[in-house]
Amino acid sequence: MLPTFETGRLILRPRTMADIEACMNMDRDPEVTKFIPGPWNDPEAHRLFLTNRIQADFGEGLGYWSVFAKENPEQFLGWILLIPADAVGPEIEIGWRLNRLTWGKGYATEAARPVLAHAFRTLDLREVIADIAPGNTASMRVAEKLGLSPARATEYLGQSFASYRITTEAFEAHSKAP
């Protein structure tokens, strides 16, 4: 079972099947999924994709967290993941997807911080990656705020991505920075 996290403004709890409609609604916004290949326009394939991701066992301490506002704990804001890259690994990836209404408020960075801390301090991972599509400058900024640095180019479903990385040492140094 994944832990639940609280930040100043957010609650992160393990994603469940109860979140599937909120996830589907979020993914139907073409601006939200603009940089992410997936079955977003095929309702059956989309539901199957989400069901498989929600029900998958990614390993101890790995998975998806649904993000909610503390001031309105029923309001689904999006999710954070910490799973094997492309759901197969071997690298472990952190990622985020948030409803457009949350953009520009620092929620992605705030929600990703405890998950990244969990990766290094609880799971004792040595490195975490974030694959980000070129042009997705908002996600690149989130990655950089978290202390990740661009490392190399990678490909997913025929699309190029920049692979950002952070090591345990870099995470600890970044966590102590003002």
Side-chain angles (χ1 to χ4, degrees), residues 113 145 171-178:
R113 277 192 180 116
K145 287 178 188 175
F171 171 76
E172 292 303 335
H174 185 77
S175 296
K176 293 176 185 162

Side-chain angles (χ1 to χ4, degrees), residues 110-124:
E110 184 176 336
R113 277 192 180 116
V115 173
L116 203 52
H118 168 73
F120 290 118
R121 295 178 180 154
T122 304
L123 302 181
D124 202 28

Side-chain angles (χ1 to χ4, degrees), residues 2-169:
L2 294 177
T4 295
F5 301 112
E6 286 194 30
T7 69
R9 302 179 293 168
L10 306 172
I11 298 168
L12 287 74
R13 64 157 174 75
R15 187 165 76 168
T16 68
M17 288 302 293
D19 301 324
I20 196 166
E21 293 303 324
C23 290
M24 288 187 71
N25 287 336
M26 177 179 65
D27 291 347
R28 286 185 190 114
D29 181 343
E31 286 300 306
V32 171
T33 55
K34 177 163 72 173
F35 297 107
I36 304 133
W40 320 129
N41 295 318
D42 178 337
E44 287 181 32
H46 186 187
R47 184 174 296 279
L48 180 61
F49 175 82
L50 285 173
T51 299
N52 289 340
R53 287 292 177 106
I54 291 169
Q55 294 177 343
D57 180 358
F58 294 108
E60 185 66 33
L62 302 175
Y64 284 77
W65 286 263
S66 290
V67 180
F68 300 88
K70 270 188 178 177
E71 66 184 24
N72 182 2
E74 300 302 314
Q75 182 184 16
F76 176 83
L77 302 180
W79 52 254
I80 304 289
L81 66 77
L82 185 68
I83 65 171
D86 299 335
V88 295
E91 298 168 302
I92 301 299
E93 176 179 18
I94 190 167
W96 42 86
R97 186 172 311 158
L98 297 169
N99 285 308
R100 194 181 336 180
L101 67 98
T102 70
W103 294 0
K105 298 179 181 177
Y107 288 146
T109 305
E110 184 176 336
R113 277 192 180 116
V115 173
L116 203 52
H118 168 73
F120 290 118
R121 295 178 180 154
T122 304
L123 302 181
D124 202 28
L125 298 179
R126 304 305 308 149
E127 180 180 78
V128 172
I129 67 163
D131 290 339
I132 302 172
N136 191 347
T137 55
S139 278
M140 291 174 184
R141 281 193 304 272
V142 170
E144 291 166 359
K145 287 178 188 175
L146 294 168
L148 285 84
S149 301
R152 64 179 172 86
T154 189
E155 195 171 294
Y156 175 66
L157 296 177
Q159 184 175 334
S160 293
F161 285 81
S163 189
Y164 282 67
R165 298 182 181 282
I166 187 168
T167 63
T168 303
E169 296 78 20

